[in-house]
């Protein structure tokens, strides 16, 4: 009898999509409703993905041989496939963005490369996997907020909002894969809690460092108005980071599982919207 190591909803099925996003002209501009801060914030997040997602894939795949549940093995393959496409799309996004705006890509990625080298040197494979469960929690709760609330992308061209929502949908679909693998190979809640604390610190350190560097390059670093609007967006209205505080802390609770909040409805709504959009695009 095979053990059931996947704890995702039994009807859940997912795999990679390969959408195309024609966004080059948008990347040259303050595409997030003309806001320098919001644009730099999202562009900074994009900078974290190619290296981060490479690390996530490697940390999960390292344990594939120790998984018996065929369903979880299938989810690992889908996780790997989805994250690989995310890496590719964001790598292209980042290269094009830096080309168009004159940003220095290696200076954004340098500290991430160093930290990952440190993690490979100093941490066990299971600790690195715990780090991935923490980062997948962060991406899953941000994705949930983004898909649930239209106010995240007010004034944003749908072509680039689509890219972020597509990524958000796939983060939702595979949100429990790293978690279930970590639990299946004997990973402890203590390891995951510690990893979330550490990775939250680094997430904010990296995202604000890159946001600041972009604003400095654009000559907007010392604009009080730019920072006031940014703080407002993140913490007050709509307060996209304030809103995820409650789901964030659930991760520390005993017995937590990423699917205890079943938000498959957000995936279904996005699919329906996408089909409607493509029908409209196809009609003469
Ligand atoms: Fe991703
Ligand atoms: Fe992910």
């Amino acid at each position: 009898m095979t053990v059931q190591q996947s704890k995702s909803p039994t009807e859940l099925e997912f795999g990679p999509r390969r959408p195309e996003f024609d966004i080059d002209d948008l990347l040259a501009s303050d595409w997030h409703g003309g806001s320098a801060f919001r644009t730099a914030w999202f562009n900074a997040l994009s900078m974290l993905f190619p290296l981060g997602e490479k690390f996530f894939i490697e940390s999960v795949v390292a344990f594939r041989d120790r998984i018996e549940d065929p369903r979880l093995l299938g989810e690992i393959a889908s996780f790997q496939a989805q994250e690989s496409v995310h890496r590719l799309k964001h790598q292209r996004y980042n290269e094009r963005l830096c080309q168009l705006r004159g940003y220095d890509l290696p200076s954004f990625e340098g500290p991430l490369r160093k930290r990952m080298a440190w993690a490979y040197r100093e941490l066990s494979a299971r600790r690195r996997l715990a780090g991935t469960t923490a980062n997948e929690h962060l991406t899953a709760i941000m994705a949930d907020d983004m898909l649930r609330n239209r106010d995240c992308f007010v004034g944003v061209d749908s072509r680039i909002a689509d890219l972020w929502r597509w990524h958000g949908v796939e983060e939702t679909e595979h949100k429990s894969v790293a978690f279930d693998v970590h639990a299946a190979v004997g990973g402890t809640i203590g390891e995951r809690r510690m990893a979330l604390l550490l990775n939250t610190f680094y997430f904010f350190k990296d995202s604000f460092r890159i946001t600041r560097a972009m604003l400095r390059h654009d000559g907007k670093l010392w604009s009080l108005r730019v920072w006031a609007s940014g703080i407002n967006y993140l913490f007050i209205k709509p307060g996209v980071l304030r809103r995820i505080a409650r789901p964030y802390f659930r991760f520390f609770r005993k017995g937590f599982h990423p699917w205890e909040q079943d938000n498959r409805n957000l995936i279904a709504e996005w699919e329906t919207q996408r089909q409607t959009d493509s029908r409209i695009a196809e009609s003469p």
Side-chain angles (χ1 to χ4, degrees):
M1 200 181 80
T2 47
V3 271
Q4 198 198 328
Q5 296 170 313
S6 166
K7 303 281 190 289
S8 64
T10 39
E11 314 79 28
L12 180 77
E13 277 179 28
F14 60 90
R17 301 166 181 86
R18 289 192 171 70
E20 286 301 327
F21 303 102
D22 178 19
I23 56 171
D24 281 13
D25 57 316
L26 297 169
L27 291 176
S29 66
D30 283 343
W31 56 265
H32 202 305
S35 158
F37 186 97
R38 295 199 304 266
T39 303
W41 171 256
F42 276 91
N43 288 342
L45 294 186
S46 179
M47 290 293 154
L48 306 178
F49 291 133
L51 288 175
E53 293 179 319
K54 178 172 183 280
F55 184 91
F56 304 162
I57 293 170
E58 288 170 355
S59 68
V60 169
V61 167
F63 286 95
R64 193 168 39 195
D65 294 348
R66 293 183 46 193
I67 300 301
E68 291 169 40
D69 179 358
R71 190 146 180 277
L72 186 53
L73 282 168
E75 289 181 342
I76 292 173
S78 298
F79 167 82
Q80 180 175 12
Q82 286 189 332
E83 295 291 36
S84 301
V85 182
H86 301 171
R87 289 195 62 207
L88 246 121
K89 295 287 175 192
H90 281 278
Q91 184 66 39
R92 199 172 170 281
Y93 177 125
N94 297 347
E95 282 168 6
R96 212 51 202 119
L97 174 78
C98 291
Q99 223 172 35
L100 289 164
R101 300 192 68 138
Y103 296 150
D104 181 27
L105 184 57
S107 72
F108 294 152
E109 290 189 334
L112 302 178
R113 287 186 192 280
K114 268 197 200 144
R115 195 170 326 116
M116 278 163 201
W118 170 84
Y120 274 100
R121 217 173 41 239
E122 304 292 340
L123 300 181
S124 67
R126 213 170 78 183
R127 288 273 178 185
R128 292 198 295 274
L129 179 58
T132 298
T133 69
N135 279 302
E136 286 288 295
H137 180 61
L138 292 174
T139 49
I141 58 178
M142 286 195 282
D144 178 272
D145 186 74
M146 196 172 77
L147 295 168
R148 195 175 292 281
N149 300 293
R150 307 303 288 182
D151 56 12
C152 290
F153 288 118
V154 172
V156 177
D157 189 301
S158 63
R159 284 175 293 155
I160 197 156
D162 282 350
L163 177 143
W164 287 96
R165 291 204 181 102
W166 152 76
H167 195 164
V169 161
E170 297 198 348
E171 289 303 319
T172 306
E173 289 174 323
H174 71 230
K175 65 179 175 174
S176 67
V177 179
F179 189 100
D180 286 343
V181 173
H182 188 251
V185 299
T188 65
I189 185 169
E191 289 170 356
R192 292 194 292 271
R193 284 173 175 158
M194 185 59 106
L196 185 59
L197 291 175
L198 200 69
N199 282 283
T200 306
F201 170 75
Y202 283 120
F203 168 74
F204 281 111
K205 190 167 187 257
D206 290 327
S207 50
F208 277 105
R209 170 179 62 82
I210 301 172
T211 302
R212 232 177 30 236
M214 288 175 173
L215 291 175
R216 182 184 299 121
H217 178 276
D218 296 342
K220 307 232 171 98
L221 184 62
W222 300 107
S223 162
L224 204 64
R225 196 179 51 81
V226 165
W227 279 90
S229 88
I231 301 296
N232 189 48
Y233 178 77
L234 295 180
F235 299 105
I236 305 166
K237 199 168 171 240
V240 293
L241 291 181
R242 173 182 52 77
R243 282 196 304 225
I244 60 170
R246 195 188 285 257
Y248 171 83
F249 285 108
R250 285 199 198 116
F251 192 83
F252 292 102
R253 275 207 330 246
K254 214 169 154 221
F256 166 83
H257 186 268
W259 280 110
E260 71 183 27
Q261 197 218 359
D262 189 347
N263 56 353
R264 279 174 294 168
N265 61 312
L266 299 175
I267 304 169
E269 281 162 23
W270 178 82
E271 287 284 9
T272 311
Q273 185 63 46
R274 200 163 73 120
Q275 277 157 18
T276 314
D277 290 349
S278 67
R279 263 204 305 278
I280 292 169
E282 278 165 19
S283 64

